[in-house]
Amino acid sequence: MATNSTVDQIFSDNSRTLAPAAVGSQVALMSIVSVVTVLAFNLLRPKNKVIYEPKVKYHVGDKKPPRISDSLLGWLPPLIRTKEPELVDKLGLDAVTFLRFMRMTRALFSTIAALCCVILIPINAIYNINHVDPTDRDVLSMLTIRDVAGSYLFAHVAVTYAISAAVMFFVWRNWKSMLRLRQEWFRSPEYVQSFYARTLAVTRVPKKLQSDEGIRAIFESVQVPYPTTSVHIGRKVGRLPELIEYHNTAVRELEQVLVTYLKGGRIAKERPQIRIGGFMGMGGVKKDAIDFYTAKLKRTETAIEEYRLQIDTRKAENYGFASMAAVPYAHIVANMLRSKHPKGTDIALAPNPKDLIWANLNKSSAELFRNRVVGFLLMVLVCFFNTIPLFVISILANLSSIAVYVTFLENWAKASPGSFAFVSGVLPPAVSALFGFFLPIVMRFLSRFQGALTHSRLDRAVVARYFAFLVISQLVIFTLIGVGFIAVENIVNEIGKHASFQEIVDKLDTLPQTINRTYIDQSSYWLTFFPLRGFLVIFDLAQILNLVWTSIKTRLFGRTPRDIREWTQPPVFQYAIYYSNTLFMGTVALVFAPLAPLVVLAGAIVFWLGSWVYKYQLMFVFVTKVETGGRLWNMMVNRLLISVILMQLLMVLTIGLQYGFKSFFWLSTVPPILFVVGFKFYLDKTFYREFIYYIPSEDELREAKVHSSRADASGNRLEKRFGHPALHAELFTPMLHAKMMPLLQDVYKGRVATEQTKLEEYGGQKMEAQVVGDGLKIAAVEQRDLEYDPALYQRDRGELDWDQQSIASNAFFGNANGSDAASIYHQKAHYYNASNGGRASPAPTAYDRYMAKGPSNSQSEIELARLNTSIDQLPLLTEQQVYGYQDRSQPALPPLPGYTSPGRMTPPTRYASPAPSPTRYVAQSQYMPPSPQSQYPPHPGMFRSPTEGYREAPLHRPQPQQHRQNSSYQDEPPQQNFAGRGIGRGY
C-alpha cells in the first residue's frame, strides 16, 4: 500500500507544474502527425517522382542513383545497401560529409543517452523518492538533477568526464576518416582535371599592379618555386550585372503576367494592371502590365548592348587569377603564401567560378570595412528584435505560473486542464520554429552584404552566426527570462503577504537556488522542442508544402514554361540551415545530458530519424550547389567541441550553486574543459593543414600532370574560366506555352510576325517565335519541351573545365577533332577507395626520358606533332636546372625576411630530373642553336636569372586507362559530358 501511495503522489494533480502533461501532449501529437506524414509520403511518392526522385532523371554522367521500387517501403532497401564509397562517387564529398556528421551525432548521442539514462536516471529517482517531499516534485523533475544534493552529485560529475571522452573519441575517429576522404578527393580525376584546382586567386591588388604583368610581378617578387602558366586581371563591368539581372527579372514578370492573362487558353476579361509608385496598394499610377513590361524589356536590352560595347575600354579591377602548371604546384604555392601578403595582396586557392560572388570581388578595403561595420550593427539589431519572440515563447512555456495572475488563464486551467496542458506544450516550440525560419535568410543576406567572396563562405558565415545566435538567445537569454519570471513571481508573492521591502531584499539570497531550479526546469520545454524537430524532419521527407504551393500556383496564377523547367530540376540542399539546426540540437542535448537525461534521449531519436531522411533526400532529391570537398567539416567539429565546453560550464555552475563556490568542489568539473581545449589544438596540428591543402608525395609530385604555358595562353583558358560571367551571360528570351501563342495577336494590338529564334535556355535550339511590339521575341514552348532536358542538365551541372566541356560537346555534335589537347577522364569510384593517389593513366616508359631530355628523333606515341625542330629539341630541364627553375651556377638571391626561398642547392629526389646521357647532349649540341636563351626566352611568369633558358612543357596526352587488378570496379569508356556554357555563369 505504501508503494501505491508513493506512485499516486508522483502522478497527483497537485504536482508543482503541468509540465508532464504538456510534454506528453506534444510527444503524442508529434508522433501521430509524423506517422500520418510518413504514410502520405509512401502513397504520394510513386506518382510524383518529379518531386520525390528527380535525380533519377537528372544526374551528371554515370552518377544515377540506385533503382528504387514503387512499393510502399521500396525506398528503404537502397538506403540500407548504399555505402559511403558509392555515395562519394554519386553525391560528392559535401553530401557525404553531411551524412557522416549525421551518423557521428547519431552514434555519439545514442552512446551518451545510454550512459546518462542507465546511470543518472536511477540515481536521480532514488534520491527524489527518499529525500524530496512529494508535493515538491513531479514525474519529470524526479529524473533530473534539480533536487539532488550531497555526494550523489559526484556521479553526475563523473558522467561529464565520460561524455567528454566519448565526444573526443568519436570526433577523432571521424576526423581520420574525413581526412582520408578529403585527400582522395584532392587526387580524384574530378578535382585534378578541374582548371580552378590549379588556379590561385589574388585579391587586394594595388593600383599600380592592376594588370596581367602586375600579377606576374607579384609572384616573381616572392620567388615561388613554380612559375605561373597564365595570368588574368579582372576587368570592370560596371552596372552590367545589375542590368542583366534587371532584364531577366523583367522577363519572368512578363511571362507570369501573360500566363495569368491567358490561363486555360482563354483571354481574361480584363487586362492585367500594375501600380507604379504608391504604397501598399494605395496611390501611384496604374498602367497596363503587359505594355509596361514589354517596353521595360526593350529598354533594358538596348542598354545592355550599348554597355557591352564599352567593356573593353574600362579599367582593371583589384583582383586577378593565376594558373599553375599542375594542381600540386598550386597547393604548394598557396600553402607557402597563406600567411604572407606579397605587395599587400592576399593569395589563396581559387574557388570554383560557380562559387564566386562576383559583386564582392572588386570592393575596396574601405568599402569592405564600412559594409562590415554596418552589417554587424544590422545583425545586432536583427538579433535584438528577434529576441522579442523569446518573451512570447517564455510566456507560453510558463503558462502554469502566469495563470495564477491572469484570470482567464486560471479559469481555463481549472475548466479544461487537458487543453491547457496541450497548448502550453505545443505552442512554445511551434512559435520558436516559425520565427527561426526567417533568421537564416536574413543572416545570409547580411553576410553577403559584408563582403563574403563565395557562396560556400556564406554557408560558413551563416552556420557560425546562426549557431551563435541560437545558443545565446534560446539557451542563455531564454534561461535569464525564465529566471526573471520566477524572481518576479516570488516578489509578487511576498508583496501579497504584505512583507516589507527589507524582507523582500533579504529573501533575494535564494536567487542562486532559483537560477539553478529554473534552467533545470526548462528541460521540460526542450522535451517539447525535440518532438517538433523530429516531425519537421519527417515533414521534409514528405515535401507537403512543395506539393501544396505548386498546386495553388498552377490553379490560381498558372505556371510559366520557365517555372516548370526550373521546378523539374533537383533543388539545392541548404547545408548551412541543416547544419545549424543539427548543431543546435546537439548543443541542447549535450548541455542537458547530465542535468536531464531524457533530453539527450529525445535528441538521439531525432538524429536517428534525420540520418535516414537526409540520406534519402541527398540520394534522390537534392543536389549540392558547388562542390567544396567537405570544407564545412572542420567548422562543425569546432562547434561541437564548443558545445562540450558549454556543458561543462553549466555543470560548474550547477555544482557551484549546490555546494557554494567557496567550497571549491566545483573545481572537480574544470579538468574536462582543459582536456577539450588541448584536444582542439591536437586536431589542428594533426589534421588541419592536410585537410585544407593537397600535400603530394614525392611520387605524386613527380608524376603530376603538367600543363604548358603555351596551351593555357593559346586557349585563353584562364580568361574564359575566370572572366566575369556578365561578359558572356545570355539574356533570357520570353517563353510562352505554344497553345497560348495564337492569342498574342489579340494581346498585342498590331502586326505579329513569326520567325525562328535560337533559345540559349534550350542549348541553342531553334524554336518558333512571334515578334511583337517593337521587335520583342516571344518563343513558343511545346508541352513536350516543358521539362528540363536531361542532356542540358548534364551540360550545366558538369564539373569539367570550360575548355574540356567544349571538347566533349564538339565530340558529341560531330566535331571530335578539336584542337584543344586537354584530357578528359572518366570519374571512378575506386579513386576514393584507393589509399594512394596516382596518375589517371599509366605513364609510358618514354615519358620520364621525354621529361629529362626532350623528344626523340622518332615520332613518339605521345608526341602528336613536332612544333619546331630547334625549340622541340630543347630539354624540358637541363642538367644544370633544378627545383625552382634556377641555375646552380648563378649566385643565390638573398631570401625574403621570414621566408625560406628554394635556394640553389642539390634538390630533393622528388624535384630532380633523371641524369641525362652525356652522349645524347653532345649529339643535340650539333643542331641546337648557339644561344637558345636569346632566341627562346622563358615565359615572363617564370622566376629565372638573365642567362638561363628552358623550353615550355608540352601537354601530356595520357594513354587509355588500363584495368586495375584486384579492383572491384570495372573500367568503362569515358562518358560524354554536355557541360559547357553554364559553367561560366557563376551559378
Side-chain angles (χ1 to χ4, degrees), residues 650-679:
L650 197 60
M651 199 64 192
V652 170
L653 179 64
T654 302
I655 300 299
L657 292 176
Q658 291 277 12
Y659 277 97
F661 284 96
K662 293 182 180 179
S663 66
F664 294 104
F665 283 117
W666 59 272
L667 289 176
S668 62
T669 61
V670 173
I673 298 177
L674 304 179
F675 296 155
V676 172
V677 173
F679 179 67

PDB file of all heavy atoms in Angstrom, residues 650-679:
ATOM      1  N   LEU A 650      28.127  24.743 -17.588  1.00  0.00           N
ATOM      2  CA  LEU A 650      26.853  24.668 -16.878  1.00  0.00           C
ATOM      3  C   LEU A 650      26.951  23.705 -15.699  1.00  0.00           C
ATOM      4  O   LEU A 650      26.318  23.920 -14.651  1.00  0.00           O
ATOM      5  CB  LEU A 650      25.742  24.219 -17.842  1.00  0.00           C
ATOM      6  CG  LEU A 650      24.313  24.482 -17.372  1.00  0.00           C
ATOM      7  CD1 LEU A 650      24.088  25.975 -17.145  1.00  0.00           C
ATOM      8  CD2 LEU A 650      23.302  23.961 -18.390  1.00  0.00           C
ATOM      9  N   MET A 651      27.757  22.671 -15.851  1.00  0.00           N
ATOM     10  CA  MET A 651      27.965  21.754 -14.729  1.00  0.00           C
ATOM     11  C   MET A 651      28.761  22.434 -13.624  1.00  0.00           C
ATOM     12  O   MET A 651      28.495  22.213 -12.421  1.00  0.00           O
ATOM     13  CB  MET A 651      28.706  20.509 -15.224  1.00  0.00           C
ATOM     14  CG  MET A 651      28.572  19.322 -14.288  1.00  0.00           C
ATOM     15  SD  MET A 651      26.849  18.785 -14.178  1.00  0.00           S
ATOM     16  CE  MET A 651      26.952  17.683 -12.771  1.00  0.00           C
ATOM     17  N   VAL A 652      29.732  23.275 -13.989  1.00  0.00           N
ATOM     18  CA  VAL A 652      30.460  24.070 -12.998  1.00  0.00           C
ATOM     19  C   VAL A 652      29.479  24.938 -12.215  1.00  0.00           C
ATOM     20  O   VAL A 652      29.535  25.028 -10.976  1.00  0.00           O
ATOM     21  CB  VAL A 652      31.532  24.941 -13.686  1.00  0.00           C
ATOM     22  CG1 VAL A 652      32.122  25.950 -12.691  1.00  0.00           C
ATOM     23  CG2 VAL A 652      32.641  24.082 -14.260  1.00  0.00           C
ATOM     24  N   LEU A 653      28.552  25.609 -12.950  1.00  0.00           N
ATOM     25  CA  LEU A 653      27.563  26.467 -12.300  1.00  0.00           C
ATOM     26  C   LEU A 653      26.654  25.656 -11.382  1.00  0.00           C
ATOM     27  O   LEU A 653      26.340  26.092 -10.259  1.00  0.00           O
ATOM     28  CB  LEU A 653      26.739  27.186 -13.369  1.00  0.00           C
ATOM     29  CG  LEU A 653      25.641  28.120 -12.856  1.00  0.00           C
ATOM     30  CD1 LEU A 653      26.243  29.289 -12.077  1.00  0.00           C
ATOM     31  CD2 LEU A 653      24.804  28.633 -14.022  1.00  0.00           C
ATOM     32  N   THR A 654      26.248  24.468 -11.841  1.00  0.00           N
ATOM     33  CA  THR A 654      25.334  23.642 -11.047  1.00  0.00           C
ATOM     34  C   THR A 654      25.986  23.204  -9.731  1.00  0.00           C
ATOM     35  O   THR A 654      25.399  23.333  -8.651  1.00  0.00           O
ATOM     36  CB  THR A 654      24.901  22.410 -11.858  1.00  0.00           C
ATOM     37  OG1 THR A 654      24.273  22.840 -13.065  1.00  0.00           O
ATOM     38  CG2 THR A 654      23.938  21.557 -11.067  1.00  0.00           C
ATOM     39  N   ILE A 655      27.200  22.702  -9.809  1.00  0.00           N
ATOM     40  CA  ILE A 655      27.884  22.258  -8.591  1.00  0.00           C
ATOM     41  C   ILE A 655      28.196  23.448  -7.690  1.00  0.00           C
ATOM     42  O   ILE A 655      28.079  23.376  -6.459  1.00  0.00           O
ATOM     43  CB  ILE A 655      29.182  21.495  -8.959  1.00  0.00           C
ATOM     44  CG1 ILE A 655      28.844  20.259  -9.817  1.00  0.00           C
ATOM     45  CG2 ILE A 655      29.930  21.083  -7.705  1.00  0.00           C
ATOM     46  CD1 ILE A 655      27.950  19.262  -9.136  1.00  0.00           C
ATOM     47  N   GLY A 656      28.587  24.561  -8.313  1.00  0.00           N
ATOM     48  CA  GLY A 656      28.879  25.748  -7.512  1.00  0.00           C
ATOM     49  C   GLY A 656      27.661  26.258  -6.786  1.00  0.00           C
ATOM     50  O   GLY A 656      27.750  26.697  -5.624  1.00  0.00           O
ATOM     51  N   LEU A 657      26.500  26.244  -7.428  1.00  0.00           N
ATOM     52  CA  LEU A 657      25.274  26.719  -6.779  1.00  0.00           C
ATOM     53  C   LEU A 657      24.787  25.743  -5.716  1.00  0.00           C
ATOM     54  O   LEU A 657      24.180  26.145  -4.711  1.00  0.00           O
ATOM     55  CB  LEU A 657      24.179  26.936  -7.833  1.00  0.00           C
ATOM     56  CG  LEU A 657      24.411  28.089  -8.815  1.00  0.00           C
ATOM     57  CD1 LEU A 657      23.304  28.133  -9.853  1.00  0.00           C
ATOM     58  CD2 LEU A 657      24.490  29.421  -8.074  1.00  0.00           C
ATOM     59  N   GLN A 658      25.050  24.449  -5.918  1.00  0.00           N
ATOM     60  CA  GLN A 658      24.605  23.460  -4.937  1.00  0.00           C
ATOM     61  C   GLN A 658      25.472  23.488  -3.683  1.00  0.00           C
ATOM     62  O   GLN A 658      24.969  23.446  -2.560  1.00  0.00           O
ATOM     63  CB  GLN A 658      24.643  22.056  -5.564  1.00  0.00           C
ATOM     64  CG  GLN A 658      23.600  21.834  -6.654  1.00  0.00           C
ATOM     65  CD  GLN A 658      22.247  21.457  -6.064  1.00  0.00           C
ATOM     66  OE1 GLN A 658      22.013  21.575  -4.867  1.00  0.00           O
ATOM     67  NE2 GLN A 658      21.329  21.043  -6.926  1.00  0.00           N
ATOM     68  N   TYR A 659      26.797  23.548  -3.896  1.00  0.00           N
ATOM     69  CA  TYR A 659      27.721  23.495  -2.757  1.00  0.00           C
ATOM     70  C   TYR A 659      28.187  24.872  -2.298  1.00  0.00           C
ATOM     71  O   TYR A 659      28.698  25.018  -1.193  1.00  0.00           O
ATOM     72  CB  TYR A 659      28.962  22.666  -3.137  1.00  0.00           C
ATOM     73  CG  TYR A 659      28.768  21.182  -3.002  1.00  0.00           C
ATOM     74  CD1 TYR A 659      28.439  20.406  -4.098  1.00  0.00           C
ATOM     75  CD2 TYR A 659      28.925  20.554  -1.765  1.00  0.00           C
ATOM     76  CE1 TYR A 659      28.269  19.043  -3.992  1.00  0.00           C
ATOM     77  CE2 TYR A 659      28.762  19.189  -1.637  1.00  0.00           C
ATOM     78  CZ  TYR A 659      28.432  18.440  -2.753  1.00  0.00           C
ATOM     79  OH  TYR A 659      28.260  17.086  -2.622  1.00  0.00           O
ATOM     80  N   GLY A 660      28.042  25.875  -3.195  1.00  0.00           N
ATOM     81  CA  GLY A 660      28.637  27.176  -2.914  1.00  0.00           C
ATOM     82  C   GLY A 660      30.048  27.206  -3.482  1.00  0.00           C
ATOM     83  O   GLY A 660      30.807  26.235  -3.346  1.00  0.00           O
ATOM     84  N   PHE A 661      30.382  28.310  -4.103  1.00  0.00           N
ATOM     85  CA  PHE A 661      31.674  28.382  -4.770  1.00  0.00           C
ATOM     86  C   PHE A 661      32.842  28.466  -3.785  1.00  0.00           C
ATOM     87  O   PHE A 661      33.997  28.293  -4.176  1.00  0.00           O
ATOM     88  CB  PHE A 661      31.694  29.583  -5.730  1.00  0.00           C
ATOM     89  CG  PHE A 661      30.919  29.348  -6.986  1.00  0.00           C
ATOM     90  CD1 PHE A 661      29.611  29.785  -7.092  1.00  0.00           C
ATOM     91  CD2 PHE A 661      31.477  28.673  -8.064  1.00  0.00           C
ATOM     92  CE1 PHE A 661      28.871  29.561  -8.241  1.00  0.00           C
ATOM     93  CE2 PHE A 661      30.751  28.456  -9.214  1.00  0.00           C
ATOM     94  CZ  PHE A 661      29.437  28.894  -9.313  1.00  0.00           C
ATOM     95  N   LYS A 662      32.554  28.739  -2.509  1.00  0.00           N
ATOM     96  CA  LYS A 662      33.624  28.792  -1.527  1.00  0.00           C
ATOM     97  C   LYS A 662      34.126  27.402  -1.145  1.00  0.00           C
ATOM     98  O   LYS A 662      35.195  27.261  -0.557  1.00  0.00           O
ATOM     99  CB  LYS A 662      33.137  29.519  -0.274  1.00  0.00           C
ATOM    100  CG  LYS A 662      32.843  30.996  -0.495  1.00  0.00           C
ATOM    101  CD  LYS A 662      32.412  31.668   0.786  1.00  0.00           C
ATOM    102  CE  LYS A 662      32.129  33.155   0.560  1.00  0.00           C
ATOM    103  NZ  LYS A 662      31.687  33.831   1.813  1.00  0.00           N
ATOM    104  N   SER A 663      33.364  26.367  -1.478  1.00  0.00           N
ATOM    105  CA  SER A 663      33.745  25.009  -1.100  1.00  0.00           C
ATOM    106  C   SER A 663      34.794  24.416  -2.030  1.00  0.00           C
ATOM    107  O   SER A 663      35.426  23.416  -1.694  1.00  0.00           O
ATOM    108  CB  SER A 663      32.515  24.103  -1.085  1.00  0.00           C
ATOM    109  OG  SER A 663      32.023  23.968  -2.422  1.00  0.00           O
ATOM    110  N   PHE A 664      34.952  24.980  -3.197  1.00  0.00           N
ATOM    111  CA  PHE A 664      35.901  24.522  -4.214  1.00  0.00           C
ATOM    112  C   PHE A 664      35.582  23.127  -4.758  1.00  0.00           C
ATOM    113  O   PHE A 664      36.399  22.534  -5.459  1.00  0.00           O
ATOM    114  CB  PHE A 664      37.347  24.535  -3.687  1.00  0.00           C
ATOM    115  CG  PHE A 664      37.848  25.913  -3.390  1.00  0.00           C
ATOM    116  CD1 PHE A 664      37.935  26.358  -2.079  1.00  0.00           C
ATOM    117  CD2 PHE A 664      38.197  26.776  -4.410  1.00  0.00           C
ATOM    118  CE1 PHE A 664      38.378  27.640  -1.795  1.00  0.00           C
ATOM    119  CE2 PHE A 664      38.645  28.063  -4.128  1.00  0.00           C
ATOM    120  CZ  PHE A 664      38.729  28.496  -2.823  1.00  0.00           C
ATOM    121  N   PHE A 665      34.401  22.590  -4.442  1.00  0.00           N
ATOM    122  CA  PHE A 665      34.019  21.326  -5.055  1.00  0.00           C
ATOM    123  C   PHE A 665      33.804  21.503  -6.564  1.00  0.00           C
ATOM    124  O   PHE A 665      33.937  20.556  -7.328  1.00  0.00           O
ATOM    125  CB  PHE A 665      32.731  20.780  -4.410  1.00  0.00           C
ATOM    126  CG  PHE A 665      32.963  20.150  -3.075  1.00  0.00           C
ATOM    127  CD1 PHE A 665      32.390  20.683  -1.924  1.00  0.00           C
ATOM    128  CD2 PHE A 665      33.744  19.001  -2.958  1.00  0.00           C
ATOM    129  CE1 PHE A 665      32.604  20.110  -0.691  1.00  0.00           C
ATOM    130  CE2 PHE A 665      33.952  18.419  -1.712  1.00  0.00           C
ATOM    131  CZ  PHE A 665      33.388  18.972  -0.581  1.00  0.00           C
ATOM    132  N   TRP A 666      33.469  22.714  -6.964  1.00  0.00           N
ATOM    133  CA  TRP A 666      33.222  22.971  -8.380  1.00  0.00           C
ATOM    134  C   TRP A 666      34.484  22.794  -9.229  1.00  0.00           C
ATOM    135  O   TRP A 666      34.400  22.599 -10.446  1.00  0.00           O
ATOM    136  CB  TRP A 666      32.671  24.386  -8.576  1.00  0.00           C
ATOM    137  CG  TRP A 666      33.588  25.472  -8.083  1.00  0.00           C
ATOM    138  CD1 TRP A 666      33.635  25.978  -6.823  1.00  0.00           C
ATOM    139  CD2 TRP A 666      34.588  26.152  -8.840  1.00  0.00           C
ATOM    140  NE1 TRP A 666      34.602  26.946  -6.730  1.00  0.00           N
ATOM    141  CE2 TRP A 666      35.206  27.081  -7.953  1.00  0.00           C
ATOM    142  CE3 TRP A 666      35.014  26.090 -10.148  1.00  0.00           C
ATOM    143  CZ2 TRP A 666      36.236  27.915  -8.361  1.00  0.00           C
ATOM    144  CZ3 TRP A 666      36.037  26.935 -10.552  1.00  0.00           C
ATOM    145  CH2 TRP A 666      36.645  27.835  -9.674  1.00  0.00           C
ATOM    146  N   LEU A 667      35.658  22.837  -8.608  1.00  0.00           N
ATOM    147  CA  LEU A 667      36.905  22.658  -9.360  1.00  0.00           C
ATOM    148  C   LEU A 667      37.006  21.259  -9.965  1.00  0.00           C
ATOM    149  O   LEU A 667      37.747  21.048 -10.932  1.00  0.00           O
ATOM    150  CB  LEU A 667      38.097  22.920  -8.455  1.00  0.00           C
ATOM    151  CG  LEU A 667      38.324  24.379  -8.036  1.00  0.00           C
ATOM    152  CD1 LEU A 667      39.481  24.489  -7.059  1.00  0.00           C
ATOM    153  CD2 LEU A 667      38.592  25.234  -9.270  1.00  0.00           C
ATOM    154  N   SER A 668      36.263  20.299  -9.405  1.00  0.00           N
ATOM    155  CA  SER A 668      36.316  18.935  -9.953  1.00  0.00           C
ATOM    156  C   SER A 668      35.717  18.859 -11.349  1.00  0.00           C
ATOM    157  O   SER A 668      35.938  17.881 -12.075  1.00  0.00           O
ATOM    158  CB  SER A 668      35.572  17.976  -9.020  1.00  0.00           C
ATOM    159  OG  SER A 668      34.194  18.342  -8.924  1.00  0.00           O
ATOM    160  N   THR A 669      34.948  19.879 -11.752  1.00  0.00           N
ATOM    161  CA  THR A 669      34.329  19.869 -13.092  1.00  0.00           C
ATOM    162  C   THR A 669      35.166  20.616 -14.135  1.00  0.00           C
ATOM    163  O   THR A 669      34.791  20.642 -15.305  1.00  0.00           O
ATOM    164  CB  THR A 669      32.936  20.524 -13.012  1.00  0.00           C
ATOM    165  OG1 THR A 669      33.085  21.878 -12.572  1.00  0.00           O
ATOM    166  CG2 THR A 669      32.037  19.779 -12.044  1.00  0.00           C
ATOM    167  N   VAL A 670      36.294  21.198 -13.716  1.00  0.00           N
ATOM    168  CA  VAL A 670      37.090  22.013 -14.640  1.00  0.00           C
ATOM    169  C   VAL A 670      37.991  21.190 -15.568  1.00  0.00           C
ATOM    170  O   VAL A 670      38.150  21.543 -16.742  1.00  0.00           O
ATOM    171  CB  VAL A 670      37.919  23.050 -13.844  1.00  0.00           C
ATOM    172  CG1 VAL A 670      38.884  23.804 -14.756  1.00  0.00           C
ATOM    173  CG2 VAL A 670      36.988  24.023 -13.141  1.00  0.00           C
ATOM    174  N   PRO A 671      38.653  20.117 -15.109  1.00  0.00           N
ATOM    175  CA  PRO A 671      39.605  19.404 -15.986  1.00  0.00           C
ATOM    176  C   PRO A 671      39.074  19.021 -17.365  1.00  0.00           C
ATOM    177  O   PRO A 671      39.823  19.160 -18.350  1.00  0.00           O
ATOM    178  CB  PRO A 671      39.982  18.171 -15.155  1.00  0.00           C
ATOM    179  CG  PRO A 671      39.845  18.636 -13.745  1.00  0.00           C
ATOM    180  CD  PRO A 671      38.657  19.558 -13.748  1.00  0.00           C
ATOM    181  N   PRO A 672      37.811  18.545 -17.511  1.00  0.00           N
ATOM    182  CA  PRO A 672      37.360  18.212 -18.875  1.00  0.00           C
ATOM    183  C   PRO A 672      37.424  19.393 -19.837  1.00  0.00           C
ATOM    184  O   PRO A 672      37.656  19.199 -21.035  1.00  0.00           O
ATOM    185  CB  PRO A 672      35.916  17.754 -18.664  1.00  0.00           C
ATOM    186  CG  PRO A 672      35.885  17.242 -17.267  1.00  0.00           C
ATOM    187  CD  PRO A 672      36.809  18.139 -16.505  1.00  0.00           C
ATOM    188  N   ILE A 673      37.242  20.608 -19.338  1.00  0.00           N
ATOM    189  CA  ILE A 673      37.347  21.787 -20.206  1.00  0.00           C
ATOM    190  C   ILE A 673      38.769  21.900 -20.748  1.00  0.00           C
ATOM    191  O   ILE A 673      38.974  22.138 -21.952  1.00  0.00           O
ATOM    192  CB  ILE A 673      36.960  23.061 -19.433  1.00  0.00           C
ATOM    193  CG1 ILE A 673      35.506  22.969 -18.966  1.00  0.00           C
ATOM    194  CG2 ILE A 673      37.182  24.301 -20.288  1.00  0.00           C
ATOM    195  CD1 ILE A 673      35.051  24.153 -18.124  1.00  0.00           C
ATOM    196  N   LEU A 674      39.742  21.683 -19.883  1.00  0.00           N
ATOM    197  CA  LEU A 674      41.138  21.751 -20.317  1.00  0.00           C
ATOM    198  C   LEU A 674      41.457  20.629 -21.293  1.00  0.00           C
ATOM    199  O   LEU A 674      42.204  20.826 -22.266  1.00  0.00           O
ATOM    200  CB  LEU A 674      42.066  21.683 -19.101  1.00  0.00           C
ATOM    201  CG  LEU A 674      41.829  22.754 -18.023  1.00  0.00           C
ATOM    202  CD1 LEU A 674      42.794  22.565 -16.856  1.00  0.00           C
ATOM    203  CD2 LEU A 674      41.981  24.147 -18.613  1.00  0.00           C
ATOM    204  N   PHE A 675      40.883  19.453 -21.056  1.00  0.00           N
ATOM    205  CA  PHE A 675      41.109  18.334 -21.980  1.00  0.00           C
ATOM    206  C   PHE A 675      40.584  18.663 -23.378  1.00  0.00           C
ATOM    207  O   PHE A 675      41.239  18.388 -24.390  1.00  0.00           O
ATOM    208  CB  PHE A 675      40.426  17.065 -21.454  1.00  0.00           C
ATOM    209  CG  PHE A 675      40.982  16.561 -20.152  1.00  0.00           C
ATOM    210  CD1 PHE A 675      40.204  15.782 -19.305  1.00  0.00           C
ATOM    211  CD2 PHE A 675      42.277  16.880 -19.762  1.00  0.00           C
ATOM    212  CE1 PHE A 675      40.714  15.318 -18.102  1.00  0.00           C
ATOM    213  CE2 PHE A 675      42.788  16.418 -18.550  1.00  0.00           C
ATOM    214  CZ  PHE A 675      42.007  15.648 -17.717  1.00  0.00           C
ATOM    215  N   VAL A 676      39.397  19.243 -23.437  1.00  0.00           N
ATOM    216  CA  VAL A 676      38.789  19.554 -24.737  1.00  0.00           C
ATOM    217  C   VAL A 676      39.593  20.626 -25.465  1.00  0.00           C
ATOM    218  O   VAL A 676      39.813  20.526 -26.687  1.00  0.00           O
ATOM    219  CB  VAL A 676      37.320  19.998 -24.534  1.00  0.00           C
ATOM    220  CG1 VAL A 676      36.739  20.512 -25.859  1.00  0.00           C
ATOM    221  CG2 VAL A 676      36.484  18.847 -24.014  1.00  0.00           C
ATOM    222  N   VAL A 677      40.053  21.643 -24.732  1.00  0.00           N
ATOM    223  CA  VAL A 677      40.865  22.688 -25.360  1.00  0.00           C
ATOM    224  C   VAL A 677      42.161  22.100 -25.910  1.00  0.00           C
ATOM    225  O   VAL A 677      42.574  22.383 -27.039  1.00  0.00           O
ATOM    226  CB  VAL A 677      41.147  23.823 -24.356  1.00  0.00           C
ATOM    227  CG1 VAL A 677      42.141  24.822 -24.949  1.00  0.00           C
ATOM    228  CG2 VAL A 677      39.859  24.529 -23.981  1.00  0.00           C
ATOM    229  N   GLY A 678      42.818  21.257 -25.119  1.00  0.00           N
ATOM    230  CA  GLY A 678      44.037  20.605 -25.599  1.00  0.00           C
ATOM    231  C   GLY A 678      43.770  19.707 -26.785  1.00  0.00           C
ATOM    232  O   GLY A 678      44.581  19.634 -27.734  1.00  0.00           O
ATOM    233  N   PHE A 679      42.629  19.021 -26.775  1.00  0.00           N
ATOM    234  CA  PHE A 679      42.256  18.156 -27.896  1.00  0.00           C
ATOM    235  C   PHE A 679      42.062  18.957 -29.177  1.00  0.00           C
ATOM    236  O   PHE A 679      42.446  18.520 -30.267  1.00  0.00           O
ATOM    237  CB  PHE A 679      40.973  17.401 -27.534  1.00  0.00           C
ATOM    238  CG  PHE A 679      40.461  16.486 -28.610  1.00  0.00           C
ATOM    239  CD1 PHE A 679      41.175  15.356 -28.981  1.00  0.00           C
ATOM    240  CD2 PHE A 679      39.264  16.757 -29.252  1.00  0.00           C
ATOM    241  CE1 PHE A 679      40.698  14.509 -29.967  1.00  0.00           C
ATOM    242  CE2 PHE A 679      38.787  15.923 -30.240  1.00  0.00           C
ATOM    243  CZ  PHE A 679      39.506  14.792 -30.601  1.00  0.00           C
TER     244      PHE A 679
END
